[in-house]
Each structure stands twice: as C-alpha cells, then as structure tokens.
C-alpha cells in the first residue's frame, strides 16, 4: 500500500493497482483488529484481556468487514480474465466493471457486519470475538439463556464460509480459463512460426509473453489466498463433521490469515525485482530488495539514484569552488610576476642597451586548464543526468587558453 501511495500519480491510474490497494487496506484493517484482541476480548474469561461485550461486538464487526480482503482476490482474478481472455482494455474495465465490483464487495461485507452487530451475533469464541452462541460457554450451562445456540452454525456458514466458497469457485474457474487462453496463444504461435512475417511474429510473441506473465502473477495471488484462507475452511469442516473445535487449526487461522498482505507484498514487487535484476546484474539480493521497496521520489527516481546525484552535485560544486579559488591565487601571482618582469627589464636595459632579455613564464607557476580536467569532467557528467543541468559556465572547454596566461604573455611582449 505504501509503494502504491508513494507513486500514486501513476499507480492510481491503473485499475490493477487500485484493486491491490483496496485489498491492502482491508488486510491492514484485519491485522490491526486481531492485534488489538487483548483490548477488545472480554475480561474475566481466563485470559489477560481488558474488553467487554461492547468491544467484543466491535471486533466482530471489523472482522466481518475486513473479510473483504479475500473477496478482492476474486475481483483480481476477474480483472485478469477480462484483460487476457476478452481483450478488454484497462479503460473499459474502469468505466463499468471496476465500479460494480468495488460496490458489490464493500456493500456485501459492510451489510453482513451491520446485521451481525444489530442481532448480537458476535460473541467470544476460544480465540477472538466472532459468530458464536452467547454469552461465553452458555452451551454447557443450562441455567444461562443461550441465543443462537442452534442457529450460530448456519449464520457462520452464510457470513463466514459462503462467500469464501464462492470465491474459491470463481478464482479456480477464471484462472483455469486464463491458463487455457495462454496455452492456445502459445500453440498458435508455434504453429505459424515459420509462415508469419517477422513483424507479426514478434507481435504475437509479445502478446504471448505478456499473457504468460499475467497468468503467473494471478497464480501467485491465488496461492497466497488459499494459503491464508484454507485453514478457516478446514476448521469449519472439522467442526461441522465432528462437532468439536481443534485448537491447532485455530492457531493456524490466526497465524496465516493476517499474513496474506505480507505474501501479496512480495508478489506485487516480483515484476519490479525481475526488471531491476536484468538492468543491475552486478547488484546483490539485498541491494535489489532495497531498490524494490524504497519508493521513487516525485520525479520517478529511486532514493539511491537521488543520493548519488546529490553526492555528484556536491562534488561538482566543490570542484568549481576550488577552481575559482585557484584563479584568484593565479591573478595575485600574475600581478606579482608582472612587477618582477618590469623591474628586471629596467635593470637589463641599463646594463646592455643592445641586449634584449626574453623572459618566459615557468609552466609550474601557472595553473593550466588541463589541471582542471576533473572539474570539467564532473560538469560534463552532471550534464548527462536526467535533471538536464548545464555545465558550469566558469569552466572553459578543454583546449581553450587561460585568460590569465594570455594577459601575462601580452604584458611580457
């Protein structure tokens, strides 16, 4: 979610990133809701918690609402199916399909959450507050009224498992159709590989490669979904058939269900990691991971690039300052040297009127432009950056004469 928001000027224009963004929002909501169980679970039930019946109902509400993160896996599979199999453009999907699918998911889960709170359906379970007969352990105490004692399993089937089973079927069907479409494209390309023109064959190869990459991403998201949500289905089937709850399955539910966002983050970063690895083969795994997850700045440059350019700019300014200071020193030396030449010429003219004395300036006392080559090269290199900065105007091109030297030669003449 942070990666999408950091580059929102471009990412949020793509329905694919908007779907992943909504999935991440609900996943964060679910994780925070589970992390605060010690504050929402009713106190006095044998665990160190600080909640009450009201906070328990609140946790059940957000748990039911945050289950929308699983439904967005089905939305993502539908999006991939329409793009690959039906050839629908992203703009066409955004006009109608995206709005409808967002509305169905949000309204569906929000309605279930509101209904559950209004009828008192959310009560303490052995792990957290969700659909259960209430109050806690009322099924073993005949003196305590126990609402939903017989109906809680049916509510759980509709509210918690019904939509998951629909998502299972929809995800499996759409991904199977995507796989068949990708397979047909590859077979068609191999069949006509020797008959088609090079340009058309290249176009078919690009389409086939794109379809395959989309299918791989879709399968990875599906794998993360099943790994996270299948434990809840297993728990439900065991409880339905045996009438008992298995603690170790509950532990797996609370471990893997909040991790779907973690899995999705690496799946989302996978294409960018592959691109960076091709361009920067010399970099190690840790360096590439930093580049993948560190967002670009507003101009689309990674933080490492910005840091390098800032360092180069500092070096360039330092070199320019050194050149300027050297020129000031050169001007002072030039004035002193001219005074020395004048006194020497007057003395020689008096001793030998017919002898002309020619004095040339020692090369080591003059700072030539070749000595400034590093500063010039730094300017030229800086000019090639994406900022488009010009070279420093104080630095003359290589091969030009030093103004101080020209002035001294003129004076000498």
């Amino acid at each position: 979610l942070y990666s999408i928001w950091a580059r929102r000027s471009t990412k949020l224009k793509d329905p694919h990133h908007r779907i992943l963004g909504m999935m991440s929002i609900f996943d964060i909501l679910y994780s925070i809701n589970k992390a605060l169980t010690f504050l929402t679970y009713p106190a006095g039930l044998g665990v160190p918690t600080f909640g009450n019946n009201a906070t328990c109902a609140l946790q059940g509400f957000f748990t039911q609402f945050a289950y929308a993160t699983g439904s967005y896996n089905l939305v993502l599979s539908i999006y991939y199916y329409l793009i690959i199999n039906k050839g629908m453009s992203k703009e066409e999907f955004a006009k109608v399909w995206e709005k409808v699918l967002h509305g169905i998911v949000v309204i569906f889960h929000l309605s279930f959450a509101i209904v559950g709170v209004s009828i008192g359906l959310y009560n303490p379970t052995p792990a957290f507050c969700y659909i259960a007969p209430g109050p806690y352990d009322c099924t073993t105490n005949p003196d305590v009224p126990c609402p939903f004692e017989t109906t809680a399993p049916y509510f759980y089937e509709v509210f918690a498992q019904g939509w998951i089973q629909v998502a299972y079927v929809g995800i499996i069907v759409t991904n199977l159709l995507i796989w068949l479409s990708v397979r047909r494209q590859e077979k068609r390309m191999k069949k006509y590989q020797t008959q088609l023109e090079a340009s058309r064959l290249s176009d078919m190869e690009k389409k086939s490669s794109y379809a395959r990459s989309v299918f791989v991403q879709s399968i990875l998201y599906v794998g993360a979904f099943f790994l996270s949500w299948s434990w809840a289905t297993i728990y439900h089937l065991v409880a339905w058939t045996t009438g008992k709850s298995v603690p170790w399955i509950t532990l797996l539910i609370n471990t893997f269900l909040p991790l779907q966002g973690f899995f999705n983050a690496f799946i989302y970063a996978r294409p960018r990691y592959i691109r960076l690895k091709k361009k920067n083969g010399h970099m190690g795994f840790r360096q590439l991971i930093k580049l993948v997850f560190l967002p670009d700045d507003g101009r689309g440059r990674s933080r490492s690039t910005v840091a390098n350019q800032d360092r180069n700019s500092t070096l360039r300014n330092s070199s320019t300052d050194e050149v300027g200071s050297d020129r000031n020193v050169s001007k002072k030396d030039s004035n002193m040297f001219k005074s020395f030449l004048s006194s020497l010429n007057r003395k020689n003219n008096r001793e030998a009127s017919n002898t002309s004395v020619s004095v040339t300036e020692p090369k080591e006392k003059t700072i030539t432009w070749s000595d400034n080559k590093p500063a010039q090269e730094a300017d030229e290199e800086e000019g090639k950056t994406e900022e488009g900065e010009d070279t420093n105007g104080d630095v003359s091109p290589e091969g030009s004469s030093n103004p101080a030297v020209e002035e001294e030669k003129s004076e000498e003449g």
Side-chain angles (χ1 to χ4, degrees):
L1 181 63
Y2 176 69
S3 178
I4 294 173
W5 181 253
R7 293 184 285 270
R8 58 190 177 275
S9 58
T10 56
K11 296 288 186 183
L12 292 181
K13 295 179 181 179
D14 191 339
H16 170 247
H17 295 291
R18 291 195 291 265
I19 294 172
L20 290 174
M22 291 296 292
M23 186 190 300
S24 300
I25 289 172
F26 283 108
D27 184 75
I28 292 173
L29 178 63
Y30 182 85
S31 299
I32 293 175
N33 186 46
K34 281 299 183 68
L36 297 178
T37 298
F38 72 100
L39 294 176
T40 56
Y41 197 80
L45 299 180
V47 289
T49 54
F50 307 94
N52 51 41
N53 292 333
T55 58
C56 183
L58 186 65
Q59 186 185 40
F61 173 87
F62 283 111
T63 299
Q64 184 65 57
F65 188 41
Y67 276 170
T69 185
S71 297
Y72 269 106
N73 282 272
L74 176 59
V75 174
L76 191 63
S77 295
I78 294 173
Y79 166 78
Y80 287 143
Y81 167 77
L82 294 174
I83 293 295
I84 298 301
N85 291 54
K86 299 301 181 181
M88 183 179 293
S89 65
K90 295 180 180 181
E91 291 75 16
E92 293 174 338
F93 177 84
K95 284 182 180 179
V96 180
W97 281 90
E98 184 181 9
K99 297 175 182 177
V100 172
L101 292 173
H102 280 305
I104 291 175
V105 171
V106 174
I107 293 173
F108 177 79
H109 287 277
L110 182 61
S111 300
F112 275 6
I114 293 174
V115 170
V117 170
S118 62
I119 65 177
L121 187 60
Y122 304 130
N123 296 290
T125 69
F128 58 96
C129 293
Y130 195 51
I131 299 173
Y136 183 75
D137 210 21
C138 67
T139 56
T140 60
N141 190 350
D143 298 330
V144 178
C146 195
F148 307 108
E149 182 178 4
T150 58
T151 57
Y154 300 100
F155 277 107
Y156 187 86
E157 176 66 29
V158 175
F159 280 45
Q161 287 298 312
W163 67 269
I164 293 180
Q165 293 163 9
V166 171
Y168 283 158
V169 174
I171 288 172
I172 292 172
V173 170
T174 52
N175 281 273
L176 179 61
L177 293 174
I178 293 172
W179 175 74
L180 291 174
S181 176
V182 172
R183 192 163 175 242
R184 282 196 303 268
Q185 289 185 21
E186 292 182 346
K187 284 186 175 181
R188 192 183 306 117
M189 186 180 65
K190 291 180 180 178
K191 181 178 179 180
Y192 299 104
Q193 190 170 7
T194 58
Q195 302 176 10
L196 296 175
E197 297 178 356
S199 58
R200 188 174 179 185
L201 181 62
S202 176
D203 186 54
M204 289 184 64
E205 289 177 348
K206 290 180 182 179
K207 290 181 180 179
S208 177
S209 176
Y210 173 74
R212 173 167 285 278
S213 63
V214 170
F215 173 69
V216 171
Q217 283 292 105
S218 179
I219 289 296
L220 291 174
Y221 282 118
V222 171
F225 171 75
F226 276 93
L227 182 61
S228 302
W229 290 90
S230 59
W231 303 110
T233 303
I234 294 173
Y235 176 88
H236 171 68
L237 292 175
V238 171
W240 187 273
T241 56
T242 64
K244 299 179 181 179
S245 60
V246 183
W248 66 269
I249 299 180
T250 304
L251 178 62
L252 290 174
I253 293 173
N254 291 325
T255 301
F256 282 95
L257 202 52
L259 288 177
Q260 185 184 3
F262 178 78
F263 299 144
N264 287 342
F266 283 93
I267 297 170
Y268 174 79
R270 175 180 165 271
R272 180 175 171 83
Y273 174 83
I274 293 174
R275 290 195 301 268
L276 289 173
K277 188 175 182 180
K278 290 181 179 179
K279 294 181 180 178
N280 305 279
H282 61 284
M283 288 187 176
F285 176 77
R286 294 178 61 183
Q287 290 178 303
L288 291 172
I289 288 295
K290 288 181 180 180
L291 286 177
V292 166
F293 286 102
L294 284 177
D296 296 347
D297 69 345
R299 290 166 290 187
R301 298 175 298 168
S302 65
R303 288 184 176 180
S304 60
T305 304
V306 174
N308 289 335
Q309 290 187 357
D310 289 343
R311 184 165 60 252
N312 292 337
S313 178
T314 303
L315 291 174
R316 184 201 63 181
N317 292 334
S318 175
S319 299
T320 304
D321 293 340
E322 290 176 1
V323 171
S325 62
D326 288 344
R327 285 179 179 172
N328 293 332
V329 173
S330 179
K331 288 182 179 180
K332 292 179 181 179
D333 292 343
S334 176
N335 293 332
M336 295 174 62
F337 191 68
K338 285 189 290 185
S339 301
F340 169 73
L341 286 177
S342 299
S343 60
L344 183 62
N345 287 332
R346 286 194 297 270
K347 181 179 178 181
N348 291 334
N349 287 335
R350 286 195 299 269
E351 293 178 354
S353 58
N354 296 329
T355 304
S356 62
V357 178
S358 176
V359 180
T360 59
E361 182 183 5
K363 292 183 179 180
E364 61 274 12
K365 288 192 176 183
T366 304
I367 298 178
T368 63
W369 290 106
S370 59
D371 293 335
N372 296 331
K373 188 175 180 181
Q376 178 190 352
E377 290 178 350
D379 287 352
E380 291 175 353
E381 188 68 26
E382 185 69 18
K384 295 179 182 178
T385 62
E386 56 188 346
E387 289 295 315
E389 295 178 358
D390 295 327
T391 55
N392 194 320
D394 292 337
V395 181
S396 302
E398 185 176 358
S400 63
S401 57
N402 190 325
V405 177
E406 292 293 335
E407 183 178 0
E408 294 166 4
K409 289 183 178 181
S410 175
E411 184 67 23
E412 176 188 353

